[in-house]
Amino acid sequence: MTIHRNTFAAAAVLSLFSTYACAEADLGSIDLFSSQNKESPVPKGFVVGAATISGQARYQGQDNSTYFIPGALYFGDQLMYLGDRARYYFHVDDNYALYGYGRYRFGNLDPGDADQLHGMHKRKGEFEAGAGATLITPYALLTARFASDVTGRSNGQELLLWADFPIVKDNLLVMPGMGMMIRSDKMANYYFGGVSSSEATPQRKEWDTGTTFSPMAAVITSYRFSPNWVGLFAANYEFYDKDIADSPIVQHNGEWYVIAGVGYTW
């Protein structure tokens, strides 16, 4: 368990920046293994830092973007806060963890963004709440998490099934992961390419995504330079369900993002 604590905590700092990248991959389970140990890649408590984030635009007419973002996160004994999302653990032991989950999902479509989106309804943000469980094994973290809109915006739900596989050598972590995001028809239509009858035009047909199944893969690396400084790099790709990729307003078969940053703790 000590090795695990030092391992998975290293990548936790990456989640600090996922808000701004609108990343759909979940990296939060690693907070289970934060530690006060000065050799731990990310200690318990506050981490502040900044990162460069590059992401792929989802909709027609939108351009890929790169941002330089400052931020902070917090790891406590039961509470984890990562900017746009938080977890509260009801139970944690060496074998599994149970937690409540909350997230603010930012809106991702504005008809003013591009000519191709004129006539669409603006996709606004929503608050989502749910619960999850993580099975802790010697070689992987296996996570299942369910969340639902509680603000009446999309009235949708999503289920994440995810596995992380860490490789550690001294202060270096390389952690590939993979999983599946299952989104209800209401969630997918609102945030991932649905076109209602009122939004359809002769050039943009009505589109119903239905329930979608999108595979995901990620790799996270983290290196502890000193007791106070940690460097990081992460890349994630979601391969869209065909009913998302074929939407008349979606411009790619998938979505990637890349993060490189540095964090400070005390």
Side-chain angles (χ1 to χ4, degrees):
M1 188 67 173
T2 300
I3 294 176
H4 286 143
R5 291 182 187 277
N6 294 339
T7 299
F8 289 101
V13 69
L14 295 168
S15 295
L16 165 63
F17 309 107
S18 63
T19 295
Y20 308 99
C22 297
E24 294 300 322
D26 188 277
L27 305 175
S29 294
I30 47 183
D31 73 287
L32 287 171
F33 309 98
S34 60
S35 170
Q36 298 286 0
N37 184 350
K38 292 185 180 297
E39 298 299 318
S40 174
V42 175
K44 191 177 294 293
F46 283 100
V47 178
V48 296
T52 298
I53 302 172
S54 293
Q56 191 168 28
R58 183 169 302 164
Y59 297 118
Q60 295 286 345
Q62 294 179 337
D63 296 325
N64 296 343
S65 55
T66 299
Y67 302 98
F68 179 77
I69 303 294
L73 57 80
Y74 176 75
F75 293 99
D77 291 333
Q78 290 179 282
L79 177 67
M80 174 198 71
Y81 172 72
L82 298 178
D84 70 331
R85 67 197 69 188
R87 290 185 180 190
Y88 184 84
Y89 286 92
F90 301 108
H91 175 86
V92 181
D93 62 27
D94 288 352
N95 299 310
Y96 69 97
L98 303 174
Y99 60 87
Y101 173 83
R103 173 190 179 183
Y104 184 80
R105 184 188 296 270
F106 292 90
N108 62 6
L109 187 155
D110 189 325
D113 287 347
D115 291 342
Q116 295 93 321
L117 300 176
H118 285 176
M120 296 292 298
H121 303 316
K122 186 174 183 179
R123 287 356 186 209
K124 299 178 181 180
E126 67 181 30
F127 183 76
E128 300 164 9
T134 298
L135 178 65
I136 302 169
T137 78
Y139 305 104
L141 286 179
L142 306 177
T143 297
R145 190 207 70 215
F146 175 82
S148 178
D149 171 33
V150 295
T151 55
R153 185 75 71 192
S154 72
N155 293 310
Q157 297 79 38
E158 67 177 18
L159 173 65
L160 174 68
L161 304 174
W162 190 264
D164 281 312
F165 306 94
I167 302 169
V168 184
K169 183 174 177 59
D170 300 324
N171 292 338
L172 173 67
L173 164 70
V174 179
M175 186 167 67
M178 64 181 66
M180 176 74 69
M181 184 68 79
I182 304 169
R183 300 184 179 98
S184 72
D185 58 343
K186 291 180 179 179
M187 175 72 74
N189 275 308
Y190 195 79
Y191 287 111
F192 292 87
V195 179
S196 67
S197 58
S198 63
E199 296 171 315
T201 69
Q203 294 76 34
R204 182 175 62 224
K205 63 182 178 179
E206 184 177 351
W207 191 261
D208 182 0
T209 65
T211 299
T212 63
F213 299 79
S214 293
M216 295 178 170
V219 61
I220 301 165
T221 63
S222 181
Y223 184 76
R224 188 70 176 268
F225 295 105
S226 74
N228 299 111
W229 291 98
V230 59
L232 56 94
F233 174 85
N236 179 84
Y237 186 79
E238 174 180 346
F239 187 78
Y240 287 150
D241 183 289
K242 187 177 185 297
D243 287 329
I244 295 176
D246 288 348
S247 164
I249 61 171
V250 171
Q251 61 174 313
H252 302 292
N253 290 325
E255 183 175 315
W256 58 263
Y257 75 89
V258 175
I259 301 173
V262 64
Y264 179 85
T265 187
W266 58 93

